[in-house]
Amino acid sequence: MGEWVNDAVDWLQTHLAPVFDAASTVISGMQDGIYTVLAAPHPLLLAGILAVVACRLRGLTAGALAFAGFALIDSVEMWDDAMSTLSLVLVATVITLAVAVPLGIWSARSKTVSAATRPVMDFMQTMPAMVYLIPGVLFFGVGAVPGIIATIIFALPPGVRMTELGIRQVDGDLVEAAQAFGTSPRDTLLRVQLPLALPTIMAGVNQVIMLGLSMVVIAGMVGAGGLGGAVYRALGNVDVGLGFEAGLSIVVLAMYLDRMTGALGAQISPLGRRALARARETGRPGGAKLWNYRPQPAVALAGVVVLALVAGGTSVFGGTKAADADDPGNVGKGKKISMGYIPWDEGIASTFLWKELLERRGYEVDAEQYEAGSLYTGQSTGQIDIQTDSWLPVTHEKYWAKYQDKLEDMGSWYGPTSLELSVPSYMKDVDSLEVEPSAGMMGLLKDKVLEEYGLEGEYEVVDGSTPGMLAELKRAYDEKEPVVTTLWSPHWAYSTYDLKKLKDPKGAWGKGDGVHTLTREGFSDENPAVGKWLKDFRMTEEQLTGLEAKIQAGGKGKEQDAVRAWLRENPGLADQWAPVAGTSEGDAGAAAASRRPTAAAQVDAGIAEKLAPAAG
């Protein structure tokens, strides 16, 4: 079955590529447009506009709480991510409803269509949502588009079902009465069935939006960004604080959209308007009315217009100063370069290091986090220009074997790395893999290592993610329990915990990898200066671990600030790694480089010293 599916996907990629490209262009254009509108005004001014909308729909209390919620998002520095997520959800909701409502109406009016769509809806809703990302990435590449497509597929069933249910629940006597007075089927639908079904349909809209928000974390795995990307970053770094802030921001968005769609459904439905009118007639007089005050539409519109004008005015002033076109160091002249990284510490450090170096040289750099498979797929399709954390020839062997014809290897900038099993130092009697199986204090990998040391069946190997492994390490370390983790060097865990690497006398782990920089096919021809810089780039272990420590100390969202601080503490490195002739910085960097060994020579010397240490 899997082979059939793969063949079908290959056929679709071959024959319908222009259709996928066109759909990707439309969807990404919609998302970019909405995000531009949402991100343009000052956060608190847009929060005021959204609060006015909430005040009009639900009252003064709702408006005040809405403003407080959005102000909270801004205070934890999640505003841009929240607006990116909101734009993604809005685009997915609009497209989903454009399909779901007509299909639901058709199903309500035809038993055959209803019977045919029901199993399809069951399949779509019960299939794990992450599965939809696989063809999404293959057909649409990485970024927001595959996330939106997966969200549409996952959120479509409740929209269809609630629309069908709402129309079927309309009293049949009312429909017969309309038909008896000669009302056409079209007018019966538009003037009788749809108005009376609106509460149920709006409940379906609400469910579509909530399911869309539930997909943002999954979409973050393929580079959709937003709050989902923040949660994914927190998961990769076991950053509870960042995860809580991003999760809380998602909750604020979800509550706002839930309450607003519910209130909107009540106000546009005839039954809802009648219920609201009865509530006003029976409402209590006095101070309670102040909190339920709803401005008239003209007043609310005037408030929104005033706030929008003020918000628009704030975006006119300021802005980022463009690099001087006559500056010899402005090699890029505003050219855009995209970078992708896996949330491994050396990948984060090297990515933001090169982001800073390239921006100093006049390039406009966008850096996004991806899951490894999505990163290689996006780079092979030309959507991502550079990645700096490819572990070759072992760790990322399967990705390289699949995509090497579409990638360029700029060489290893750090190595050799090592894969190892590590234990806390309080496990005094465990120093090597060559131990008695009855020791009972370690979990080992299943395949080669277990077989090599004759340990199959003796230990429980728990499969999971890197964040799960690190979380278990923290828990066991705090409780002083025996635990063995699969780690690699370099890794920040060695500086956080007192760990020791188990010796591997039989060499079951193999030789260490090199950390390579990869570019998409043709990148170095289009950007020869950058290509040369990347090929010549090398870092020592001291430099890399120092930069990683600086980034860890800087905290979330401050990676590039940490890089700038580290470069100030290490003058000359920026010009050594990205030299430009004809500038004082570049000339000084070249002169400094001529007076000291190259980074590559330092790496080679360090490796040689480890392999053959001097006597004494």
Side-chain angles (χ1 to χ4, degrees), residues 1-13 138-139:
M1 243 179 151
E3 292 180 359
W4 298 344
V5 174
N6 286 334
D7 291 341
V9 170
D10 292 339
W11 186 90
L12 291 172
Q13 281 184 290
L138 292 175
F139 294 148

Side-chain angles (χ1 to χ4, degrees), residues 81-96:
D81 288 337
M83 293 304 101
S84 178
T85 293
L86 183 57
S87 64
L88 185 151
V89 171
L90 290 178
V91 170
T93 300
V94 168
I95 297 176
T96 300

Side-chain angles (χ1 to χ4, degrees), residues 486-499:
T486 53
L487 286 177
W488 53 92
S489 296
H491 196 284
W492 59 265
Y494 288 111
S495 61
T496 304
Y497 308 106
D498 186 8
L499 304 175

Side-chain angles (χ1 to χ4, degrees), residues 50-66 206 255-267 276 280 288-295 300:
L50 296 175
V52 170
V53 174
C55 185
R56 171 67 190 118
L57 291 176
R58 291 188 62 91
L60 189 59
T61 302
L65 291 174
N206 180 279
M255 292 181 67
Y256 181 83
L257 293 174
D258 174 70
R259 301 301 190 269
M260 294 308 103
T261 53
L264 185 62
Q267 294 201 15
L276 287 174
R280 291 193 189 98
K289 289 187 176 180
L290 174 64
W291 299 107
N292 295 322
Y293 169 73
R294 297 180 184 179

Side-chain angles (χ1 to χ4, degrees), residues 126 277 303 379 440 490 538:
T126 54
Q379 203 169 15
R538 302 291 186 276

Side-chain angles (χ1 to χ4, degrees), residues 493-515:
Y494 288 111
S495 61
T496 304
Y497 308 106
D498 186 8
L499 304 175
K500 57 182 178 180
K501 304 174 184 178
L502 297 184
K503 298 175 183 178
D504 181 18
K506 296 184 179 181
W509 286 111
K511 297 180 180 179
D513 279 328
V515 184

